[in-house]
Amino acid sequence: MELGVALNVSETVGVTTEISRRLEEAGLNSLWITDFPAARAAAPLAGAVAESTKECRIGVGLLSPDLYGADQIVRQIQTLEQNFGKRFDVLLGPGDRLALMRIGIALEAGTGIAGRTAEAAIKIRQELQESGFTGRVLLGAQGHRMIAASTKLDGVLLNYSDLSMIRWALDQMKDVPNQFTLGVFPPTWLSHNPNFEATEPIRRAAAMVAVGLAKKPREEFQVAEHVDAGLRARLATGKLGEDTMNAIGDGTLCRFALCANEDDLNSYLRQLDGLGIGLVVFGPPLCTSSEGLEMLIGALGRRGSE
């Protein structure tokens, strides 16, 4: 199983590159430079991480074609490969609607987003392959349309952590190609004494995933009442804050995040392996927690010695 960590939430470039070096030395397989949009554009930061590391794979994204455009994404990845070698993968998706709205890009709700994003992703993959790109082009997905569309690419990163939700998502996929990467991208918080209800960063990250959930899976997972309440609270306040998190409720929120100690983490990874998951990218806010990163580094060392 390939393990990765998503970076680039609030840390500086220097901190990001230092974390990257430490994680590579600890045996992590891949580093993912988020952009949904994030504090810094992913592609330039991916170059800095490539300069600071030796050979681990570097994932760029989630990149939104609505933010950058397909042609610009292709040029960014081509430039990274030309300068730093064939170490890169690309993760594409619509992006976080609220974050995009803050910079003037409005994504209307409905089925058009999934289709438009999938078409752009297929175009990006084709143009990259024609230029000699050998990395993976993956789709970030929650809803059934995006999950189904991902089978036309090289893999999927499911934005789920709850095992029953992951099973549902896998059931939506038909005719999965050979060499297809099945992955998950759970908001993650690791601690020796994890306390989800008292940890605001992981509650916020879980809420961001929950309010992005499409109607069909909301109903399938029996969380529609709570998520709808969170959406109303976010609309009323104009932000994803404590009102939104409280409206959804911790009993629902905790289903959208991995909040674990080392024993829980190892058990979780074993269960994912049993489902056929080949890639786990531990998502934000793990990268902001020194305790969590040290715990992951320790766990990697123990896995490597087994």
Side-chain angles (χ1 to χ4, degrees), residues 272-286:
L272 290 179
D273 189 48
L275 292 176
I277 299 298
L279 168 63
V280 181
V281 178
F282 300 108
L286 176 63

Side-chain angles (χ1 to χ4, degrees), residues 49-301:
V49 169
E51 281 190 318
S52 302
T53 55
K54 297 177 181 178
E55 58 184 23
C56 69
R57 297 206 64 78
I58 299 172
V60 187
L62 190 147
L63 295 176
S64 169
D66 282 303
L67 174 58
Y68 289 109
D71 292 340
Q72 183 177 346
I73 291 172
V74 169
R75 288 194 298 272
Q76 288 177 335
I77 303 306
Q78 288 173 335
T79 300
L80 285 169
E81 277 214 330
Q82 288 165 6
N83 286 282
F84 303 106
K86 294 182 177 296
R87 299 173 55 189
F88 296 93
D89 297 309
V90 190
L91 175 63
L92 303 168
D96 179 67
R97 184 179 287 119
L98 186 61
L100 289 169
M101 285 178 62
R102 291 198 190 102
I103 59 172
I105 298 174
L107 299 183
E108 299 297 329
T111 60
I113 297 174
R116 187 172 68 248
T117 303
E119 288 177 8
I122 292 168
K123 178 176 185 279
I124 290 166
R125 179 176 183 262
Q126 179 178 346
E127 292 186 9
L128 283 172
Q129 288 184 335
E130 288 173 355
S131 69
F133 180 73
T134 57
R136 296 171 293 188
V137 178
L138 299 92
L139 204 59
Q142 278 185 312
H144 62 286
R145 291 185 181 88
M146 292 288 282
I147 292 169
S150 72
T151 59
K152 299 177 182 178
L153 300 167
D154 300 309
V156 66
L157 274 182
L158 300 167
N159 201 193
Y160 289 127
S161 52
D162 182 283
L163 293 169
S164 64
M165 295 181 185
I166 294 169
R167 290 189 189 96
W168 173 85
L170 296 176
D171 286 342
Q172 310 305 304
M173 305 178 71
K174 309 298 181 186
D175 300 322
V176 176
N178 292 330
Q179 307 302 314
F180 186 85
T181 298
L182 284 172
V184 294
F185 190 7
T188 304
W189 190 263
L190 301 179
S191 172
H192 296 291
N193 297 293
N195 186 340
F196 180 85
E197 293 81 2
T199 309
E200 190 271 347
I202 190 62
R203 294 176 70 241
R204 182 180 296 275
M208 185 179 292
V209 175
V211 298
L213 198 61
K215 182 178 180 180
K216 181 176 178 179
R218 260 184 265 167
E219 294 173 348
E220 178 73 25
F221 305 148
Q222 299 181 345
V223 296
E225 178 182 352
H226 300 284
V227 173
D228 289 348
L231 287 166
R232 289 192 296 270
R234 190 182 73 169
L235 182 63
T237 61
K239 61 182 181 180
L240 197 159
E242 197 66 36
D243 289 340
T244 302
M245 292 183 275
N246 289 339
I248 298 173
D250 287 331
T252 297
L253 277 181
C254 68
R255 296 184 65 190
F256 292 91
L258 171 63
C259 186
N261 59 29
E262 187 174 334
D263 288 341
D264 296 332
L265 171 64
N266 289 329
S267 174
Y268 182 70
L269 291 176
R270 285 193 295 270
Q271 291 178 85
L272 290 179
D273 189 48
L275 292 176
I277 299 298
L279 168 63
V280 181
V281 178
F282 300 108
L286 176 63
C287 55
T288 67
S289 167
S290 57
E291 179 192 13
L293 288 170
E294 290 300 327
M295 180 176 292
L296 178 61
I297 289 169
L300 287 170

Side-chain angles (χ1 to χ4, degrees), residues 7-8 11-13 16-17 33-34 40-50 80:
L7 306 170
N8 191 29
E11 62 274 19
T12 65
V13 174
T16 299
T17 55
I33 314 302
T34 57
R40 279 156 290 279
L45 185 57
V49 169
L80 285 169

